[in-house]
Amino acid sequence: MSFFKRLFGGGEDPETRAERLFSEGQFGPAKLAFEEALDRSSEASKREALAERIDACLDALAEARLEDAERLASNGELELAFDELGHALEVVASDALRERILAARDRLERGDAAEQAAAEELTDEERWVLLSGAWEDAQAEEYEDYGEAFVEAVLALHAGKVSEARKGLEAVLEDAEAPRYLWLELGRARVLDGDRTGAREAFVELVESMAEDERGLPLLAAYVELAKLAEEDDEHEEAVSFYQRAMEEFDEDPRPYFVFGRYLRDQELFAEAVDVLEAGANLLDEDRPDLMYLQEVGLALADAGRDADAVGTFERIVSILTTRSQTDFPPTGTERLAQLHEKQGNPQRAADLYAALARGSDRSGHFRYHREAGRLLAELGLKDEARRMWTRALALTEDAEAQATLREQLDAL
């Protein structure tokens, strides 16, 4: 038989061609041929047998994807392995094979998490270098005078050994001649140790010890810590006063505007939050603006009911990242953008954004993103795309009620 006859089937009937292709390992073409045979058949028993053969093709395709994923994982290509497992879950037919694929994905997730944890584990020397690299010159000089006891206390604090760290820092304070920046570290330790009054005293000591020409990050950090403590104690006027002092003393730094704007949004003072955040946005680098800051602006605009402005801000973030060849968009703002587009009657754009999020790094939201993308695609009449999204969503949840709803939706397509 010539190549073209083998490719297009020649005189073979669809079922014979399908079985031949299956035996040759061409499971995709075999599935299409079995489906052609199913369309031509009207006998119930024959149709049932053909449907089973179609499922066998799907399982064979999924099995191949699973093997590819395991091979990629063994070579350290985890992202590609995750993609292959995702494709396998899209086509798998049998429950038993689905369980194997899910188990493989779970193993891969655990291995990935363990590898990341191991990669993030630093030695004390490495951690100290990272910490000290962020200090100002005067701050580093003061800390150097405190010696090894201070080093051990700070490392304990960043290792989560709060009680040990606080005791060490308190001991250093007893011998310190003119502590200033030490109050910042001690204040943080007291916060974590539950001593809010002592923490306030420490941060106030730092603020009062700073000279006019010492308006660096430690002072800004102290103002923010004081504002947060006041906020948590429902002393909102005091919290606002600390935020305002920070903005006044750091009037060319967008960070105090960011934290104050977020505070105002949390208090549901949305118009005020927009005013503060937009004022701070003027201080951002025009060429490489802080995208988390822009996201906060967009959220405040959306909360204030300025939907068009919010969409413009969120789309600017997406555009900046896309220009940088990055498609892992900030989940909070991007999901809000999708909701706004749907509200404004643009479901296709909303579906595209949910689909992008479903491919992103926010795995905790993948089920929701797949489900929402599927819903919008189904409403648009894009049944194949909706089926793909809902099938993936089904594999991402163990909630029985959610699974039942998805199966009903898939059956209705």
Side-chain angles (χ1 to χ4, degrees), residues 160-234:
K161 302 173 183 177
V162 177
S163 179
E164 176 186 334
R166 178 176 179 177
K167 289 178 182 177
L169 290 168
E170 298 280 10
V172 171
L173 179 66
E174 290 180 4
D175 297 329
E177 293 183 2
R180 294 189 305 161
Y181 298 103
L182 176 59
W183 289 112
L184 180 62
E185 309 302 333
L186 185 55
R188 288 167 171 167
R190 288 174 176 177
V191 168
L192 294 172
D193 203 31
D195 182 4
R196 304 173 65 80
T197 300
R200 285 194 185 205
E201 292 174 355
F203 294 132
V204 168
E205 287 281 358
L206 172 67
V207 170
E208 293 180 349
S209 71
M210 291 290 103
E212 286 295 327
D213 58 348
E214 293 177 326
R215 292 294 182 261
L217 292 181
L219 179 59
L220 175 57
Y223 278 133
V224 171
E225 292 284 0
L226 285 165
K228 287 180 178 178
L229 286 167
E231 176 186 346
E232 291 167 5
D233 290 338
D234 292 327

Side-chain angles (χ1 to χ4, degrees), residues 64-80:
R65 292 284 195 179
L66 175 58
E67 291 176 1
D68 285 343
E70 291 173 342
R71 175 182 54 78
L72 288 165
S74 67
N75 292 333
E77 300 179 69
L78 297 184
E79 288 301 320
L80 293 176

Side-chain angles (χ1 to χ4, degrees), residues 11 52 63 82 90 112 132 135 143 180 191 197 199 209 232 242 258 274 318 332 352 358-359:
E52 290 177 357
E63 185 81 50
F82 278 119
E90 289 177 16
D112 190 25
S132 59
W135 294 334
Y143 290 169
R180 294 189 305 161
V191 168
T197 300
S209 71
E232 291 167 5
F242 282 124
F258 176 83
V274 170
V318 172
T332 303
D352 291 342
R359 297 188 297 269

Side-chain angles (χ1 to χ4, degrees), residues 263-274:
Y263 165 77
L264 292 169
R265 194 165 68 84
D266 288 342
Q267 296 302 309
E268 299 186 359
L269 299 170
F270 303 130
E272 292 84 351
V274 170

Side-chain angles (χ1 to χ4, degrees), residues 139-157:
Q139 185 180 11
E141 289 175 9
E142 178 183 329
Y143 290 169
E144 188 176 355
D145 290 340
Y146 295 139
E148 189 63 27
F150 177 78
V151 173
E152 292 177 357
V154 170
L155 289 175
L157 182 63

